[in-house]
Amino acid sequence: MTEKQFETKVKQFLKSHDIWFTKIWGGGFQKAGIPDLLCCINGHFVAIELKGTNGTATELQKYNIKKINESGGIGLI
């Protein structure tokens, strides 16, 4: 499954459960390594880095997920 296909499924799931989320689009004016989806689930901050079947997270993405978890949020790859 490609990352885009997986992203579509995750977003459909979040919508079907009435969960607030926003998609982060990387670009030249944005900090690098921010997870793909930022969500608020039952009052909890959740950041999701999406990867397709053969995708792997970069060291910066892993670092950011680690810092989110250390800060009391929930970071997932």
Side-chain angles (χ1 to χ4, degrees), residues 51-71:
K51 294 295 171 193
T53 305
N54 297 320
T56 57
T58 67
E59 290 305 313
L60 181 57
Q61 290 169 332
K62 292 176 189 176
Y63 171 80
N64 284 331
I65 292 294
K66 177 180 177 246
K67 296 306 283 182
I68 289 166
N69 287 315
E70 287 175 354
S71 297

Side-chain angles (χ1 to χ4, degrees), residues 24-73:
I24 300 299
W25 300 93
F29 296 103
Q30 185 167 317
K31 182 178 175 182
I34 296 174
D36 296 311
L37 297 175
L38 301 181
C39 314
C40 185
I41 303 173
N42 295 325
H44 299 280
F45 173 78
V46 179
I48 305 171
E49 177 60 41
L50 300 167
K51 294 295 171 193
T53 305
N54 297 320
T56 57
T58 67
E59 290 305 313
L60 181 57
Q61 290 169 332
K62 292 176 189 176
Y63 171 80
N64 284 331
I65 292 294
K66 177 180 177 246
K67 296 306 283 182
I68 289 166
N69 287 315
E70 287 175 354
S71 297

